[in-house]
Amino acid sequence: MAKNSSNSISNYVKRKKRERTLALLALILIAVVWVVGAKRAAADLMPTIRQAIPDADHITKDNGVIYIAWADPEEKNILGYVALGEASGYGGKLVLAVGVDQTGKIVGSAVASSKETPAWINRVLDSDLLKNINGKKYTEAFNIGEDLDGVTGATYSSVAVAKAALHGSRQVARYLGLPVENQPPPKIKFGLPEVVLILLFTIGYIGHQRGFKYKKQIRWSSLIIGMVVLGFIYNSPITIAYITKMLLGYFPPWQTNLYWYFLIGGILFVFTVDNKNPYCDWFCPFGAAQECMGLIGGAKPRKPRLFHQWLKWLQRILALIAILLGIYFRSPGLASYELFGTLFSLYGSSLQFIALGLVLIASMFIKRPWCSFLCPVSPVVDFIRIMREWILELWKKTIIKKTVKTN
Amino acid sequence: MEKNNNKKNGKNKLIDWFLLVFVLVVSGLLVAQVYLNVIEILH
C-alpha cells in the first residue's frame, strides 16, 4: 500500500518535471520561430512594393517609410512613391503598399502583410475594393459604406484595407510637403458586447463564491447569454488567434478594442489572482452550444483511460503548431482551427462543416468533446497553470532561503 | 458480478476507441484545412 502511494507520488513528480521542461521548450521554440518569421516577413516586402506601381523601372528606398518608383534606369524621372500604410484588421495589423503619384492620387496598392484569416482577406482581394481605391486622394474620407463599397462578410478586413490606403497616401502627401490635416483620435467604442462581457465576469464572480445556492442556475444563464450575445450576435469568442496576436506583440488601439482588452485582461487577471478559469466553463459560446446539445442526448463526461495522455498531448501539439504557424507567417488567423465562425456565422469550408457536424453529434453523448480533446485554448490554459505554479514554487523557495539566511 | 464488470469494461473500452477515432477524424479534417490555408498563403 505504502509502496503504491510512494510510486504514484514519484510518477506525479516525474510528470510535473516533464511538463515543465516541455513548457520551457515550447517557449524557446516560439521565440526561435518568432525571429525566423520576422526575417521572412522583411524579405518578402519588395515584390509587393513593386506591385503598387507595376510600371516602374525600379524602386529605391528613400527613407524609412517612403520608396521612390523610377520611370527609367538612370533615375531621372519619378513615376510615383510607395508608402506602407497600416491599419487594424480583425486578426491584427494589416500593411498595404500604397502607390501614389506626384499629386497625391493613389495609382495602385497591394497587401504587403495581413494577419486576417485567408478566407476573409481573399474576399477583399477578389472584390473591386482595391480598384475603387485607385484614383482617390489623401484628402478624401475612405469610409466604407460612404465613399467606398465594403465587402460582405469581410467588413473588418475591408475597413482595414481602406484605412491603410488612407494612411499610406497621407504618408506620401506629408513627404511631398502637401497640406495634410491631422486625424482626430478614434472614438471610444463601448457598446453592448462590452457591457455583456462585464456582466458575465460579474456573474462568474458571484457564482464562484463558496456556498452560493444557485450556482447551477446562474452558470446556465451565463452560458446562454454568452452563446447568444458573444456567439450568435457578435461572433467574438476567444480563439488561439488572440494568443498569437499577443505573442506577435500586436495590441490594437484600446479606444476601438475595449472588448478585446476586457476579455483577455479579465481572464488573465482572474487566472493570476485566483487560479480559476472564468471563461471556458462559464461563458464560452462554443462550450455552451455543446452543453445544449448534451441536454438532448444526456451527455456524460468521459475520460478515455486507454488514451487519455495521448489525446492530451495531441491537443497540446496541435495548439503549439497553430501558434507556431501563426507566428511564422505573421498571420494569427491562418492556423486558428476553431469551428466557432463555422457555427456562429455559418461561414467555413466543407471540411470545417463536416468537423462541426461531428463535434455537435458527439456533444449529444459526451460532455464538451471539443473542449476536452480538441480546443487549442485548453492547452494554453494548462501552460499558464504550469508556469504559474512553477514561478510560485521558485518564489516561495527564494523567500524560505532568504528567511533561513537572515535567521 | 464478474460478468457485469467484464461488460462494463468492454463498454468503457469501446467508448475509449470511439473517442480516439472521433478525435483523429476531426483533428485530421482541421489539419487538412490549416494545410490548405498555408498552401494558399504560400502561393
Side-chain angles (χ1 to χ4, degrees):
Chain A
M1 184 75 176
K3 205 179 171 184
N4 269 350
S5 83
S6 80
N7 262 351
S8 68
I9 290 170
S10 99
N11 277 344
Y12 172 74
V13 172
K14 265 187 200 166
R15 205 176 61 218
K16 214 161 133 178
K17 216 173 170 182
R18 192 177 59 210
E19 277 191 330
R20 285 177 182 182
T21 316
L22 289 170
L24 205 63
L25 276 176
L27 216 55
I28 294 168
L29 196 61
I30 286 171
V32 170
V33 172
W34 200 101
V35 174
V36 177
K39 282 187 180 168
R40 180 193 168 271
D44 279 357
L45 215 55
M46 216 26 154
T48 320
I49 289 170
R50 284 196 66 88
Q51 279 178 39
I53 303 189
D55 295 338
D57 178 76
H58 66 282
I59 288 176
T60 56
K61 195 174 184 178
D62 190 46
N63 62 25
V65 283
I66 303 294
Y67 296 79
I68 303 175
W70 299 98
D72 48 67
E74 295 81 26
E75 299 188 356
K76 283 180 184 160
N77 298 306
I78 292 174
L79 205 60
Y81 303 88
V82 182
L84 298 172
E86 295 177 2
S88 290
Y90 179 79
K93 192 165 77 180
L94 182 137
V95 181
L96 191 76
V98 188
V100 179
D101 69 8
Q102 312 231 23
T103 63
K105 203 159 61 177
I106 295 179
V107 291
S109 53
V111 175
S113 76
S114 127
K115 295 172 175 57
E116 307 298 271
T117 308
W120 293 348
I121 195 69
N122 284 345
R123 277 190 175 196
V124 176
L125 297 178
D126 292 341
S127 74
D128 286 335
L129 183 63
L130 287 180
K131 266 187 213 160
N132 295 340
I133 283 171
N134 286 350
K136 289 187 86 63
K137 277 191 97 172
Y138 67 98
T139 43
E140 293 176 51
F142 287 73
N143 280 336
I144 294 289
E146 289 173 25
D147 57 337
L148 281 170
D149 290 331
V151 180
T152 319
T155 319
Y156 279 102
S157 307
S158 355
V159 170
V161 166
K163 293 294 167 205
L166 178 62
H167 180 234
S169 64
R170 279 170 173 248
Q171 275 182 314
V172 176
R174 273 197 200 98
Y175 174 82
L176 294 173
L178 300 168
V180 180
E181 270 179 43
N182 283 330
Q183 272 185 301
K187 279 181 192 165
I188 295 174
K189 208 174 129 192
F190 186 85
L192 187 63
E194 287 80 12
V195 174
V196 170
L197 206 54
I198 294 171
L199 177 79
L200 290 172
F201 272 117
T202 316
I203 292 178
Y205 177 76
I206 297 167
H208 274 106
Q209 297 303 306
R210 262 186 206 171
F212 184 72
K213 256 186 177 179
Y214 306 104
K215 192 171 177 172
K216 201 178 166 186
Q217 291 85 338
I218 207 169
R219 185 176 160 273
W220 264 106
S221 41
S222 175
L223 279 173
I224 300 293
I225 296 171
M227 184 172 72
V228 173
V229 182
L230 305 186
F232 285 108
I233 300 177
Y234 292 102
N235 189 17
S236 39
I238 193 165
T239 63
I240 197 78
Y242 275 54
I243 316 292
T244 315
K245 258 190 219 179
M246 277 172 63
L247 291 171
L248 282 170
Y250 172 73
F251 292 94
W254 68 269
Q255 294 95 331
T256 48
N257 290 276
L258 277 176
Y259 177 87
W260 195 86
Y261 283 101
F262 282 167
L263 185 59
I264 294 282
I267 292 170
L268 287 179
F269 176 74
V270 178
F271 221 126
T272 318
V273 174
D274 223 12
N275 199 22
K276 275 175 190 156
N277 176 354
Y279 177 75
C280 295
D281 272 351
W282 281 73
F283 58 90
C284 168
F286 199 67
Q290 289 171 84
E291 288 205 25
C292 288
M293 292 301 286
L295 285 181
I296 302 169
K300 283 179 188 164
R302 301 274 183 194
K303 195 174 168 180
R305 285 180 210 167
L306 288 176
F307 315 108
H308 180 62
Q309 285 298 317
W310 285 101
L311 294 181
K312 194 165 86 175
W313 282 102
L314 175 71
Q315 187 180 14
R316 288 175 176 181
I317 289 167
L318 287 177
L320 180 64
I321 291 173
I323 291 175
L324 293 177
L325 282 174
I327 288 176
Y328 180 72
F329 289 105
R330 293 295 190 265
S331 170
L334 173 78
S336 187
Y337 55 81
E338 294 94 338
L339 300 165
F340 306 157
T342 318
L343 175 67
F344 297 119
S345 56
L346 295 177
Y347 184 73
S349 66
S350 44
L351 289 175
Q352 287 168 313
F353 275 108
I354 296 170
L356 176 67
L358 292 173
V359 170
L360 291 180
I361 293 168
S363 314
M364 289 167 72
F365 313 104
I366 300 154
K367 195 182 173 193
R368 289 189 175 227
W370 173 265
C371 310
S372 312
F373 308 109
L374 291 154
C375 180
V377 177
S378 308
V380 176
V381 171
D382 285 348
F383 177 84
I384 297 172
R385 200 168 271 147
I386 291 165
M387 292 314 254
R388 181 185 182 274
E389 211 179 276
W390 197 2
I391 291 165
L392 278 177
E393 220 175 274
L394 288 175
W395 190 38
K396 274 178 194 165
K397 271 184 190 169
T398 327
I399 288 174
I400 291 168
K401 266 187 191 171
K402 271 186 185 171
T403 326
V404 170
K405 265 188 188 173
T406 46
N407 286 340
Chain B
M1 182 81 171
E2 202 179 321
K3 208 178 169 187
N4 267 350
N5 270 346
N6 282 343
K7 210 175 165 187
K8 211 177 169 186
N9 277 342
K11 198 184 161 194
N12 280 338
K13 262 190 184 173
L14 201 71
I15 292 170
D16 281 11
W17 279 102
F18 167 75
L19 276 173
L20 181 72
V21 173
F22 163 75
V23 172
L24 290 180
V25 170
V26 177
S27 56
L29 289 167
L30 298 173
V31 168
Q33 182 56 48
V34 170
Y35 174 75
L36 291 176
N37 286 349
V38 171
I39 293 289
E40 213 171 312
I41 221 174
L42 286 176
H43 290 284

